Coordinates of all heavy atoms in Angstrom, one line a residue:
G26 N -150.9 18.9 20.0 CA -150.3 20.1 19.5 C -149.0 19.7 18.8 O -148.5 18.6 18.8
D27 N -148.3 20.8 18.3 CA -147.0 20.6 17.7 C -146.1 21.7 18.1 O -146.5 22.5 18.9 CB -147.2 20.6 16.2 CG -147.8 21.8 15.6 OD1 -147.5 22.9 16.1 OD2 -148.5 21.7 14.6
A28 N -144.9 21.7 17.7 CA -143.9 22.7 18.1 C -143.9 23.9 17.1 O -143.0 24.7 17.2 CB -142.6 22.1 18.1
D29 N -144.9 24.1 16.3 CA -144.9 25.2 15.3 C -145.7 26.4 15.9 O -146.9 26.3 16.0 CB -145.6 24.7 14.0 CG -145.6 25.8 13.0 OD1 -145.1 26.9 13.2 OD2 -146.2 25.5 11.9
P30 N -145.1 27.5 16.2 CA -145.8 28.6 16.8 C -146.3 29.6 15.7 O -146.7 30.7 16.1 CB -144.7 29.3 17.7 CG -143.4 29.1 16.9 CD -143.6 27.7 16.3
S31 N -146.3 29.2 14.5 CA -146.8 30.1 13.4 C -148.2 30.6 13.7 O -149.1 29.9 14.2 CB -146.8 29.3 12.1 OG -145.5 28.9 11.7
D32 N -148.4 31.9 13.4 CA -149.6 32.6 13.7 C -150.6 32.4 12.6 O -150.4 32.9 11.5 CB -149.2 34.1 13.9 CG -150.3 34.9 14.5 OD1 -151.4 34.4 14.7 OD2 -150.0 36.1 14.8
D33 N -151.7 31.8 12.9 CA -152.7 31.5 11.9 C -153.4 32.7 11.3 O -153.8 32.7 10.2 CB -153.8 30.6 12.5 CG -153.3 29.2 12.8 OD1 -152.3 28.8 12.3 OD2 -154.0 28.5 13.7
D34 N -153.6 33.7 12.2 CA -154.3 34.9 11.7 C -153.7 36.2 11.9 O -154.2 37.3 11.6 CB -155.7 34.9 12.3 CG -155.7 35.1 13.8 OD1 -154.6 35.4 14.4 OD2 -156.8 35.0 14.4
G35 N -152.4 36.2 12.4 CA -151.7 37.5 12.6 C -151.9 38.2 13.9 O -151.2 39.1 14.2
H36 N -152.8 37.7 14.7 CA -153.2 38.4 15.9 C -152.0 38.4 16.9 O -151.7 39.4 17.5 CB -154.4 37.8 16.5 CG -154.8 38.5 17.8 ND1 -155.4 39.7 17.9 CD2 -154.7 38.1 19.1 CE1 -155.6 40.1 19.1 NE2 -155.2 39.1 19.9
G37 N -151.4 37.2 17.1 CA -150.3 37.1 18.0 C -149.1 37.9 17.6 O -148.4 38.6 18.4
T38 N -148.9 37.9 16.3 CA -147.8 38.7 15.7 C -148.0 40.2 16.0 O -147.1 41.0 16.4 CB -147.6 38.4 14.2 OG1 -147.4 37.0 14.1 CG2 -146.5 39.2 13.6
H39 N -149.3 40.6 15.8 CA -149.6 42.0 16.0 C -149.4 42.4 17.5 O -148.8 43.4 17.8 CB -151.1 42.3 15.6 CG -151.6 43.6 16.0 ND1 -151.3 44.7 15.3 CD2 -152.3 44.0 17.1 CE1 -151.9 45.8 15.9 NE2 -152.5 45.3 17.0
C40 N -149.9 41.6 18.4 CA -149.7 41.8 19.8 C -148.3 41.9 20.2 O -147.9 42.7 21.0 CB -150.5 40.8 20.6 SG -152.3 40.9 20.4
A41 N -147.5 41.0 19.7 CA -146.0 41.0 20.0 C -145.4 42.3 19.5 O -144.5 42.8 20.2 CB -145.4 39.8 19.3
G42 N -145.8 42.8 18.4 CA -145.3 44.1 17.9 C -145.7 45.2 18.8 O -144.9 46.1 19.1
V43 N -146.9 45.2 19.3 CA -147.4 46.3 20.2 C -146.5 46.2 21.5 O -146.2 47.3 22.0 CB -148.9 46.1 20.5 CG1 -149.3 46.9 21.7 CG2 -149.7 46.3 19.3
I44 N -146.1 45.1 21.9 CA -145.3 45.0 23.1 C -143.9 45.3 22.9 O -143.3 46.1 23.6 CB -145.4 43.5 23.7 CG1 -146.8 43.3 24.1 CG2 -144.4 43.3 24.8 CD1 -147.1 41.8 24.4
A45 N -143.3 44.8 21.8 CA -141.8 44.8 21.8 C -141.2 45.5 20.6 O -140.0 45.4 20.4 CB -141.3 43.4 21.9
A46 N -142.0 46.1 19.7 CA -141.3 46.8 18.5 C -140.3 47.8 19.0 O -140.6 48.6 19.9 CB -142.4 47.4 17.7
A47 N -139.2 47.8 18.4 CA -138.1 48.7 18.8 C -138.5 50.1 18.4 O -139.1 50.4 17.4 CB -136.8 48.3 18.0
A48 N -138.0 51.0 19.3 CA -138.3 52.5 19.1 C -137.1 53.1 18.4 O -136.0 52.6 18.5 CB -138.6 53.1 20.4
R49 N -137.3 54.3 17.8 CA -136.3 55.1 17.2 C -135.4 54.3 16.2 O -134.2 54.5 16.2 CB -135.4 55.7 18.3 CG -136.2 56.6 19.2 CD -135.3 57.4 20.1 NE -136.1 58.1 21.1 CZ -135.7 58.4 22.3 NH1 -134.6 57.9 22.8 NH2 -136.5 59.1 23.1
N50 N -136.1 53.5 15.4 CA -135.3 52.8 14.4 C -135.7 53.2 13.0 O -135.3 52.6 12.0 CB -135.5 51.3 14.6 CG -137.0 50.8 14.4 OD1 -137.8 51.7 14.1 ND2 -137.3 49.6 14.6
G51 N -136.5 54.2 12.8 CA -136.9 54.8 11.5 C -138.0 54.0 10.8 O -138.3 54.3 9.7
I52 N -138.5 53.0 11.4 CA -139.6 52.2 10.8 C -141.0 52.8 11.0 O -141.9 52.6 10.2 CB -139.5 50.7 11.3 CG1 -138.2 50.1 10.8 CG2 -140.7 49.9 10.8 CD1 -138.0 48.7 11.3
G53 N -141.1 53.5 12.1 CA -142.4 54.2 12.3 C -143.3 53.6 13.3 O -144.5 54.0 13.4
I54 N -142.9 52.6 14.0 CA -143.7 52.0 15.1 C -142.8 51.8 16.3 O -141.6 51.6 16.2 CB -144.3 50.7 14.7 CG1 -145.2 50.2 15.8 CG2 -143.3 49.7 14.3 CD1 -146.0 49.0 15.4
A55 N -143.3 52.0 17.5 CA -142.6 51.7 18.7 C -143.5 50.9 19.6 O -144.7 51.3 19.8 CB -142.1 53.0 19.4
G56 N -143.0 49.8 20.2 CA -143.8 49.0 21.1 C -143.9 49.6 22.5 O -143.2 50.6 22.8
V57 N -144.7 49.1 23.3 CA -144.8 49.5 24.7 C -143.5 49.5 25.4 O -143.2 50.4 26.2 CB -145.9 48.7 25.4 CG1 -145.9 49.0 26.9 CG2 -147.2 48.8 24.8
A58 N -142.7 48.5 25.1 CA -141.4 48.4 25.8 C -140.4 49.4 25.2 O -139.4 49.7 25.8 CB -140.8 47.0 25.6
G59 N -140.7 49.9 24.0 CA -139.9 51.0 23.5 C -138.4 50.8 23.4 O -138.0 50.0 22.5
L60 N -137.7 51.5 24.2 CA -136.2 51.4 24.1 C -135.6 50.4 25.1 O -134.4 50.3 25.2 CB -135.7 52.8 24.4 CG -136.1 53.9 23.5 CD1 -135.6 55.2 23.9 CD2 -135.5 53.6 22.1
N61 N -136.4 49.6 25.7 CA -135.9 48.5 26.6 C -135.4 47.4 25.8 O -136.1 46.5 25.3 CB -137.0 48.1 27.6 CG -136.4 47.1 28.6 OD1 -135.4 46.5 28.5 ND2 -137.2 47.0 29.7
S62 N -134.1 47.3 25.7 CA -133.5 46.2 24.9 C -133.5 44.9 25.6 O -133.1 43.9 25.0 CB -132.1 46.6 24.4 OG -131.3 46.7 25.6
N63 N -134.0 44.8 26.8 CA -134.0 43.6 27.6 C -135.3 42.8 27.4 O -135.4 41.7 27.9 CB -133.8 43.8 29.1 CG -132.4 44.4 29.3 OD1 -131.4 44.0 28.7 ND2 -132.3 45.4 30.2
V64 N -136.2 43.3 26.6 CA -137.4 42.6 26.3 C -137.2 41.3 25.5 O -136.5 41.4 24.5 CB -138.5 43.5 25.6 CG1 -139.7 42.7 25.2 CG2 -138.8 44.6 26.5
K65 N -137.7 40.2 26.0 CA -137.6 39.0 25.2 C -139.1 38.4 25.1 O -139.9 38.5 26.0 CB -136.8 37.9 25.9 CG -135.4 38.4 26.1 CD -134.6 37.4 26.9 CE -133.2 37.9 27.2 NZ -132.4 37.0 28.0
L66 N -139.3 37.8 23.9 CA -140.6 37.2 23.7 C -140.5 35.7 23.5 O -139.5 35.2 23.0 CB -141.2 37.8 22.4 CG -141.5 39.3 22.3 CD1 -142.0 39.7 21.0 CD2 -142.5 39.7 23.4
M67 N -141.5 35.0 24.0 CA -141.6 33.6 23.9 C -143.0 33.3 23.3 O -144.0 33.6 23.9 CB -141.5 32.9 25.2 CG -141.7 31.4 25.2 SD -141.7 30.6 26.8 CE -140.0 30.8 27.3
A68 N -143.0 32.7 22.1 CA -144.3 32.3 21.5 C -144.8 31.0 22.1 O -144.1 30.0 22.0 CB -144.1 32.2 20.0
L69 N -145.9 31.0 22.7 CA -146.6 29.8 23.2 C -148.0 29.7 22.6 O -148.9 30.4 23.1 CB -146.6 29.8 24.8 CG -145.3 29.8 25.5 CD1 -145.5 29.9 27.0 CD2 -144.5 28.6 25.1
K70 N -148.1 28.9 21.7 CA -149.4 28.8 20.9 C -150.1 27.5 21.3 O -149.5 26.4 21.3 CB -149.1 28.8 19.4 CG -150.3 28.6 18.6 CD -149.9 28.5 17.1 CE -151.1 28.1 16.3 NZ -150.7 28.0 14.9
F71 N -151.4 27.7 21.7 CA -152.2 26.5 22.0 C -153.5 26.5 21.2 O -154.3 25.6 21.3 CB -152.4 26.3 23.5 CG -153.3 27.3 24.1 CD1 -154.6 27.1 24.2 CD2 -152.8 28.5 24.6 CE1 -155.5 28.0 24.7 CE2 -153.6 29.4 25.2 CZ -155.0 29.2 25.2
L72 N -153.8 27.6 20.5 CA -155.0 27.7 19.7 C -154.6 27.7 18.2 O -153.6 28.2 17.8 CB -155.7 29.0 20.0 CG -156.2 29.3 21.4 CD1 -156.8 30.7 21.5 CD2 -157.3 28.3 21.7
G73 N -155.5 27.1 17.5 CA -155.3 27.0 16.0 C -156.6 27.6 15.4 O -157.5 28.1 16.0
S74 N -156.6 27.5 14.1 CA -157.8 28.1 13.4 C -159.1 27.3 13.8 O -160.2 27.9 13.6 CB -157.6 28.0 11.9 OG -157.3 26.6 11.5
D75 N -159.0 26.1 14.3 CA -160.2 25.4 14.8 C -160.4 25.5 16.3 O -161.2 24.7 16.8 CB -160.0 23.9 14.4 CG -160.1 23.7 12.8 OD1 -160.7 24.6 12.2 OD2 -159.4 22.8 12.4
G76 N -159.7 26.4 16.9 CA -159.8 26.5 18.4 C -158.7 25.8 19.1 O -157.7 25.6 18.6
G77 N -159.1 25.4 20.3 CA -158.1 24.7 21.2 C -158.7 24.2 22.4 O -159.9 24.2 22.6
Y78 N -157.8 23.7 23.4 CA -158.3 23.1 24.6 C -157.7 23.8 25.8 O -156.6 24.3 25.8 CB -157.8 21.6 24.6 CG -158.4 20.8 23.5 CD1 -157.6 20.6 22.4 CD2 -159.7 20.3 23.6 CE1 -158.2 19.8 21.3 CE2 -160.2 19.6 22.5 CZ -159.4 19.4 21.4 OH -160.0 18.6 20.4
T79 N -158.5 23.9 26.8 CA -158.1 24.5 28.1 C -156.9 23.8 28.6 O -156.0 24.4 29.2 CB -159.2 24.5 29.1 OG1 -160.3 25.3 28.5 CG2 -158.8 25.2 30.4
S80 N -156.8 22.5 28.5 CA -155.7 21.7 29.0 C -154.4 22.2 28.4 O -153.3 22.2 29.0 CB -155.9 20.2 28.8 OG -156.1 20.0 27.4
D81 N -154.5 22.6 27.1 CA -153.3 23.1 26.4 C -152.9 24.5 26.9 O -151.7 24.9 27.0 CB -153.4 23.1 24.9 CG -153.5 21.7 24.3 OD1 -152.9 20.8 24.9 OD2 -154.2 21.6 23.3
A82 N -153.9 25.3 27.3 CA -153.6 26.6 27.9 C -152.9 26.4 29.3 O -151.9 27.1 29.6 CB -154.9 27.4 28.2
V83 N -153.3 25.4 30.0 CA -152.7 25.1 31.3 C -151.2 24.7 31.1 O -150.3 25.2 31.8 CB -153.5 24.0 32.1 CG1 -152.7 23.5 33.3 CG2 -154.8 24.6 32.5
L84 N -151.0 23.8 30.1 CA -149.6 23.4 29.8 C -148.8 24.6 29.4 O -147.6 24.7 29.8 CB -149.6 22.4 28.6 CG -150.2 21.0 29.0 CD1 -150.3 20.2 27.7 CD2 -149.3 20.3 30.0
A85 N -149.3 25.5 28.6 CA -148.6 26.7 28.2 C -148.2 27.6 29.4 O -147.1 28.1 29.5 CB -149.4 27.5 27.1
I86 N -149.2 27.8 30.2 CA -148.9 28.6 31.4 C -147.8 28.0 32.3 O -146.9 28.6 32.7 CB -150.2 28.9 32.2 CG1 -151.2 29.7 31.4 CG2 -149.9 29.5 33.6 CD1 -152.6 29.7 32.0
N87 N -148.0 26.7 32.5 CA -147.0 26.0 33.4 C -145.6 26.0 32.7 O -144.6 26.1 33.4 CB -147.5 24.5 33.6 CG -148.7 24.5 34.5 OD1 -148.9 25.4 35.3 ND2 -149.4 23.4 34.5
Y88 N -145.5 25.9 31.4 CA -144.3 25.9 30.7 C -143.6 27.3 30.9 O -142.4 27.5 31.2 CB -144.4 25.6 29.2 CG -143.1 25.6 28.5 CD1 -142.2 24.6 28.5 CD2 -142.8 26.8 27.7 CE1 -141.0 24.6 27.8 CE2 -141.6 26.8 27.0 CZ -140.7 25.7 27.1 OH -139.5 25.8 26.4
A89 N -144.4 28.4 30.7 CA -143.9 29.7 30.9 C -143.4 29.9 32.3 O -142.3 30.5 32.4 CB -145.1 30.7 30.6
L90 N -144.1 29.4 33.3 CA -143.6 29.6 34.6 C -142.3 28.8 34.8 O -141.3 29.3 35.4 CB -144.6 29.0 35.6 CG -145.9 29.9 35.7 CD1 -146.8 29.2 36.7 CD2 -145.6 31.3 36.2
A91 N -142.2 27.6 34.3 CA -141.0 26.8 34.4 C -139.8 27.5 33.7 O -138.6 27.3 34.1 CB -141.2 25.4 33.8
M92 N -140.1 28.3 32.7 CA -139.0 28.9 31.9 C -138.7 30.3 32.5 O -137.8 31.1 32.0 CB -139.4 29.1 30.4 CG -139.5 27.8 29.7 SD -137.9 26.9 29.6 CE -138.1 25.6 30.7
G93 N -139.4 30.7 33.6 CA -139.1 32.0 34.2 C -139.7 33.2 33.6 O -139.3 34.3 33.9
V94 N -140.7 33.0 32.8 CA -141.4 34.1 32.2 C -142.1 34.9 33.3 O -142.8 34.4 34.1 CB -142.5 33.6 31.1 CG1 -143.3 34.7 30.6 CG2 -141.7 32.9 30.0
E95 N -141.9 36.2 33.2 CA -142.5 37.1 34.3 C -143.8 37.7 33.9 O -144.6 38.0 34.8 CB -141.5 38.2 34.5 CG -140.1 37.8 35.1 CD -139.1 38.9 35.2 OE1 -139.4 40.0 34.9 OE2 -138.0 38.5 35.6
I96 N -144.1 37.9 32.6 CA -145.4 38.5 32.2 C -145.9 37.7 31.0 O -145.1 37.3 30.1 CB -145.2 39.9 31.8 CG1 -144.6 40.8 32.9 CG2 -146.5 40.6 31.3 CD1 -144.1 42.2 32.5
S97 N -147.2 37.4 31.0 CA -147.8 36.8 29.8 C -148.9 37.7 29.3 O -149.6 38.3 30.1 CB -148.2 35.4 30.0 OG -149.2 35.4 31.1
S98 N -149.0 37.8 28.0 CA -150.1 38.6 27.3 C -151.0 37.5 26.7 O -150.6 36.8 25.8 CB -149.5 39.5 26.3 OG -150.5 40.2 25.6
N99 N -152.2 37.6 27.1 CA -153.2 36.5 26.7 C -154.4 37.1 26.1 O -155.1 37.9 26.7 CB -153.6 35.7 27.9 CG -152.4 35.1 28.6 OD1 -151.9 34.0 28.3 ND2 -151.8 35.9 29.6
S100 N -154.7 36.8 24.8 CA -155.9 37.3 24.2 C -156.7 36.0 23.7 O -156.8 35.8 22.6 CB -155.7 38.3 23.1 OG -154.7 37.7 22.2
W101 N -157.2 35.3 24.7 CA -158.0 34.1 24.5 C -159.0 34.0 25.6 O -158.8 34.7 26.7 CB -157.1 32.9 24.4 CG -156.2 32.7 25.5 CD1 -154.9 33.2 25.6 CD2 -156.4 32.0 26.8 NE1 -154.3 32.8 26.8 CE2 -155.2 32.1 27.5 CE3 -157.5 31.3 27.3 CZ2 -155.1 31.5 28.8 CZ3 -157.4 30.7 28.5 CH2 -156.2 30.8 29.3
G102 N -160.0 33.2 25.5 CA -161.0 33.1 26.5 C -161.8 31.8 26.3 O -161.6 31.1 25.4
G103 N -162.7 31.6 27.2 CA -163.5 30.4 27.2 C -164.9 30.7 27.8 O -165.1 31.8 28.4
T104 N -165.7 29.8 27.8 CA -167.1 30.0 28.3 C -167.4 29.2 29.6 O -168.4 29.3 30.2 CB -168.1 29.6 27.3 OG1 -167.9 28.3 26.9 CG2 -168.0 30.5 26.1
S105 N -166.4 28.3 30.0 CA -166.7 27.5 31.2 C -165.6 27.6 32.2 O -164.4 27.9 31.8 CB -167.0 26.1 30.8 OG -165.8 25.5 30.2
Y106 N -165.9 27.3 33.4 CA -164.9 27.3 34.5 C -164.0 26.0 34.4 O -164.5 25.0 34.1 CB -165.6 27.3 35.9 CG -164.6 27.2 37.0 CD1 -163.9 28.3 37.4 CD2 -164.4 26.0 37.7 CE1 -163.0 28.3 38.5 CE2 -163.5 25.9 38.7 CZ -162.8 27.1 39.1 OH -161.9 27.0 40.2
S107 N -162.7 26.2 34.7 CA -161.8 25.1 34.7 C -161.0 25.2 36.0 O -160.2 26.1 36.2 CB -160.8 25.1 33.5 OG -159.7 24.3 33.7
A108 N -161.1 24.2 36.8 CA -160.3 24.1 38.1 C -158.8 24.0 37.8 O -158.0 24.6 38.5 CB -160.8 22.9 38.9
A109 N -158.5 23.3 36.7 CA -157.1 23.2 36.3 C -156.5 24.6 35.9 O -155.4 24.9 36.3 CB -156.9 22.2 35.2
L110 N -157.3 25.3 35.2 CA -156.8 26.6 34.7 C -156.7 27.6 35.9 O -155.8 28.3 36.1 CB -157.8 27.2 33.7 CG -157.4 28.6 33.2 CD1 -156.0 28.7 32.6 CD2 -158.5 29.0 32.1
A111 N -157.7 27.5 36.8 CA -157.7 28.3 38.0 C -156.4 28.0 38.8 O -155.7 28.9 39.3 CB -158.9 28.1 38.9
A112 N -156.1 26.7 39.0 CA -154.9 26.3 39.7 C -153.6 26.9 39.1 O -152.7 27.3 39.7 CB -154.8 24.8 39.9
A113 N -153.6 26.8 37.7 CA -152.4 27.3 37.0 C -152.3 28.8 37.2 O -151.1 29.3 37.4 CB -152.5 27.0 35.5
L114 N -153.4 29.5 37.2 CA -153.3 31.0 37.4 C -152.9 31.3 38.8 O -152.2 32.3 39.1 CB -154.7 31.6 37.0 CG -155.0 31.5 35.5 CD1 -156.4 32.1 35.3 CD2 -154.0 32.3 34.7
E115 N -153.4 30.5 39.8 CA -153.0 30.8 41.2 C -151.5 30.5 41.4 O -150.8 31.2 42.1 CB -153.8 29.9 42.1 CG -155.3 30.3 42.2 CD -156.2 29.3 42.9 OE1 -155.7 28.3 43.5 OE2 -157.4 29.6 42.9
A116 N -151.0 29.5 40.7 CA -149.6 29.2 40.8 C -148.8 30.3 40.1 O -147.7 30.7 40.7 CB -149.3 27.8 40.1
A117 N -149.3 30.8 39.0 CA -148.6 31.9 38.4 C -148.5 33.1 39.3 O -147.5 33.8 39.4 CB -149.3 32.3 37.1
D118 N -149.7 33.4 39.9 CA -149.7 34.6 40.8 C -148.7 34.4 42.0 O -148.0 35.3 42.4 CB -151.1 34.7 41.3 CG -151.3 36.0 42.2 OD1 -150.9 37.1 41.8 OD2 -151.9 35.8 43.3
A119 N -148.7 33.2 42.6 CA -147.8 32.9 43.7 C -146.4 33.0 43.3 O -145.5 33.4 44.1 CB -148.1 31.5 44.2
A120 N -146.1 32.8 42.0 CA -144.7 32.9 41.5 C -144.3 34.3 41.1 O -143.2 34.6 40.7 CB -144.5 32.0 40.3
G121 N -145.3 35.3 41.3 CA -145.0 36.7 40.9 C -145.2 37.0 39.5 O -144.8 38.0 39.0
H122 N -145.8 36.0 38.7 CA -146.1 36.2 37.3 C -147.3 37.1 37.1 O -148.3 37.0 37.8 CB -146.4 34.8 36.7 CG -146.7 34.8 35.3 ND1 -145.7 34.7 34.3 CD2 -147.8 34.9 34.6 CE1 -146.2 34.8 33.1 NE2 -147.5 34.9 33.2
L123 N -147.2 38.0 36.2 CA -148.3 38.9 35.8 C -149.0 38.3 34.6 O -148.4 38.3 33.5 CB -147.8 40.3 35.5 CG -148.8 41.3 35.0 CD1 -149.9 41.6 36.1 CD2 -148.1 42.7 34.7
F124 N -150.2 38.0 34.7 CA -151.0 37.4 33.7 C -151.9 38.5 33.1 O -152.9 38.9 33.8 CB -151.8 36.2 34.2 CG -152.6 35.5 33.2 CD1 -152.1 34.3 32.6 CD2 -153.9 35.8 32.9 CE1 -152.9 33.6 31.6 CE2 -154.7 35.1 32.0 CZ -154.1 34.0 31.3
V125 N -151.7 39.0 31.9 CA -152.4 40.0 31.3 C -153.4 39.4 30.4 O -153.1 38.6 29.5 CB -151.5 41.1 30.6 CG1 -152.4 42.2 30.0 CG2 -150.5 41.6 31.6
A126 N -154.7 39.8 30.5 CA -155.7 39.3 29.6 C -156.4 40.4 28.9 O -156.7 41.5 29.6 CB -156.7 38.4 30.4
A127 N -156.8 40.3 27.7 CA -157.5 41.3 26.9 C -158.9 41.5 27.5 O -159.5 40.5 28.0 CB -157.5 41.0 25.5
A128 N -159.4 42.7 27.4 CA -160.8 42.9 27.9 C -161.7 42.0 27.1 O -161.7 41.8 25.9 CB -161.2 44.3 27.7
G129 N -162.6 41.3 27.8 CA -163.6 40.4 27.2 C -163.1 39.0 27.1 O -163.9 38.1 26.6
N130 N -161.9 38.7 27.5 CA -161.4 37.3 27.4 C -161.6 36.6 28.7 O -161.1 36.8 29.7 CB -159.9 37.3 27.0 CG -159.7 37.7 25.5 OD1 -158.7 38.1 25.2 ND2 -160.7 37.6 24.7

């Protein structure tokens, strides 16, 4: 991977707006967080236009936990079981982290 969080298809950018778009600013959209000015976003990208690896998802989750991220919004999925991913999610849960996944992911 690299350190470039640029959004290949706009999906992550769209989801970030749904979460944190400022309310009452005359632009015509308000995110779920609305008027909460304490919302902070951290872009953690491990998928590209050609897909990605579960090991990179684990690294992203572990990094988020190390940085004190309380909630993650995840719209990605896979077709096989990963013990490493399960362990990362269990660690996130134990740390009080809320891992939100889109339906079908």
Side-chain angles (χ1 to χ4, degrees):
D27 60 34
D29 182 4
S31 296
D32 193 351
D33 294 340
D34 64 9
H36 179 75
T38 301
H39 171 81
C40 292
V43 168
I44 293 167
R49 297 186 187 149
N50 62 3
I52 294 176
I54 184 172
V57 174
L60 298 174
N61 185 343
S62 61
N63 294 321
V64 171
K65 297 177 184 174
L66 298 177
M67 176 187 290
L69 296 177
K70 175 184 172 183
F71 69 91
L72 295 173
S74 58
D75 294 330
Y78 299 98
T79 302
S80 58
D81 291 330
V83 171
L84 290 172
I86 293 166
N87 290 340
Y88 181 80
L90 292 178
M92 295 294 106
V94 173
E95 297 174 3
I96 303 171
S97 60
S98 176
N99 305 271
S100 51
W101 51 272
T104 58
S105 61
Y106 176 80
S107 165
L110 179 57
L114 293 175
E115 288 171 7
D118 184 51
H122 179 88
L123 176 61
F124 184 92
V125 179
N130 288 159

